[in-house]
Amino acid sequence: MKIKKKYRILCLILAVAVLGVGIGYVLSRGDWWFYLEQTFRIYSEPDLKIPLRDETSREWTLAELMQAEGVTVSKLLMLVNSSHPLPVGYEAELEEYGGALMHPLMIAPYIALKDAVYQRTGVKIYVSSDYRTREEQESILAESEDGVAAQIGCSEHEAGMALDVYAPYHAGMEFLKSEAGREVNRICCEYGYVIRYPHGKEDVTGIAYEPWHLRYVGAPHAKIMADSGLTLEEYIEYLTPETWYESGEYLILRTEKNTVSMPAEWETCSISPDNTGYTIITVKR
Ligand SMILES: [Zn+2]
């Protein structure tokens, strides 16, 4: 009888230990919890409204506007995917940072993002893939066994507007197992970056979830996209042409025309083609 009782207690201790280890393991899998958070996240409507008509606006031709003070011309809002390849003769605008080549306007926001992640997690993130030449993309495509690599001319890396990042010992999908990786995914939109191929939008982007691939689109677009759960494909589609939208201190217009009616004053203004035949004008008042 005594032996039976001891045996039962031993079994109970063993069961509790196994359960404890199991619970501990599940709790330690930050990536699983992050997946859950992503899957059940509730998105809001895009933070955009139609502004009241600005009576003091004046007409500008696009050419005239591009030359105006405080106006930046870039290609940072170009949609690049298998159905929207880079235009023939596209030349990426590049600058080097820490051995990586990227669009000059991406550098300061990337440094700010990297520093914020370091401050919050104590982990430094690094770039594993930056700008790729057409030839480099060609060899990546040839080496990819399952054909997941983008076709030539269809990669954001060739556009010089994407960065693949990693944390030490945590690259690829392992990135989410690091607190730094999860933090990058959570806060990159505050710095103008989006997770371009998000979880649950594989049918829209045609690309599997890539928590390491950051695409720069700038403010306020990155935040609007992240809060509303829209991919770049969906966001561009959402912007009804020839309609000014207001988002906080920004105004956004997607236009096909050569003349635009601009607000009377602005602090900064950026102009970018979207690669679908339209130009996106972003004004900070
Ligand atoms: Zn990438």
Side-chain angles (χ1 to χ4, degrees):
M1 196 65 180
K2 259 188 174 173
I3 293 172
K4 229 179 179 180
K5 200 177 174 188
K6 266 189 188 168
Y7 179 71
R8 260 195 230 146
I9 292 170
L10 200 72
C11 279
L12 192 72
I13 293 171
L14 210 73
V16 169
V18 168
L19 193 72
V21 169
I23 291 174
Y25 181 69
V26 170
L27 288 177
S28 74
R29 288 297 301 258
D31 56 330
W32 290 355
W33 294 103
F34 187 75
Y35 265 106
L36 271 182
E37 184 187 314
Q38 296 279 296
T39 309
F40 293 103
R41 188 172 160 188
I42 298 163
Y43 294 102
S44 47
E45 268 286 291
D47 168 31
L48 292 170
K49 55 180 187 214
I50 312 281
L52 295 171
R53 197 176 153 72
D54 184 353
E55 298 301 334
T56 53
S57 60
R58 76 159 258 218
E59 296 272 315
W60 293 74
T61 65
L62 267 188
E64 199 181 19
L65 190 61
M66 284 178 183
Q67 305 294 325
E69 204 179 315
V71 175
T72 311
V73 181
S74 76
K75 296 189 172 72
L76 286 169
L77 282 170
M78 272 182 45
L79 177 64
V80 182
N81 60 22
S82 58
S83 44
H84 297 87
L86 288 167
V88 180
Y90 174 87
E91 271 184 43
E93 209 181 316
L94 300 167
E95 200 175 308
E96 196 233 298
Y97 166 71
L101 286 172
M102 60 189 92
H103 192 285
L105 293 175
M106 289 164 60
I107 297 178
Y110 176 69
I111 296 172
L113 168 65
K114 195 171 72 114
D115 289 351
V117 171
Y118 181 67
Q119 265 182 15
R120 291 171 193 218
T121 66
V123 176
K124 283 185 181 164
I125 56 161
Y126 300 90
V127 174
S128 58
S129 187
D130 52 339
Y131 165 70
R132 288 176 204 153
T133 62
R134 205 180 157 82
E135 291 69 35
E136 282 165 341
Q137 186 63 29
E138 207 162 9
S139 69
I140 285 176
L141 185 66
E143 280 166 24
S144 95
E145 288 162 15
D146 40 11
V148 288
Q151 292 296 317
I152 298 141
C154 301
S155 165
E156 293 186 333
H157 288 283
E158 282 178 75
M161 298 187 285
L163 297 173
D164 290 345
V165 295
Y166 70 98
Y169 311 110
H170 294 93
M173 288 314 285
E174 291 281 309
F175 192 39
L176 288 184
K177 286 190 182 170
S178 74
E179 214 188 315
R182 298 191 292 272
E183 201 59 23
V184 166
N185 275 253
R186 285 193 190 105
I187 67 167
C188 66
C189 64
E190 311 282 347
Y191 302 88
Y193 285 89
V194 287
I195 301 296
R196 179 66 178 89
Y197 310 116
H199 176 48
K201 286 294 172 98
E202 294 81 355
D203 55 331
V204 180
T205 62
I207 293 178
Y209 181 30
E210 291 193 355
W212 62 86
H213 179 106
L214 301 179
R215 160 69 195 264
Y216 188 75
V217 289
H221 312 289
K223 189 86 173 72
I224 299 170
M225 287 166 64
D227 289 347
S228 57
L230 296 181
T231 62
L232 187 55
E233 284 84 359
E234 295 166 314
Y235 178 56
I236 288 177
E237 186 69 32
Y238 187 89
L239 298 173
T240 305
E242 318 310 336
T243 307
W244 277 105
Y245 291 98
E246 192 178 350
S247 177
E249 57 192 341
Y250 291 92
L251 290 171
I252 302 159
L253 173 73
R254 181 169 171 243
T255 181
E256 200 182 19
K257 297 184 176 160
N258 283 322
T259 337
V260 279
S261 184
M262 291 285 290
E265 283 177 11
W266 63 78
E267 189 186 313
T268 59
C269 168
S270 49
I271 303 176
S272 168
D274 69 0
N275 208 24
T276 75
Y278 293 85
T279 300
I280 296 177
I281 299 176
T282 312
V283 173
K284 188 180 180 191
R285 289 176 292 182

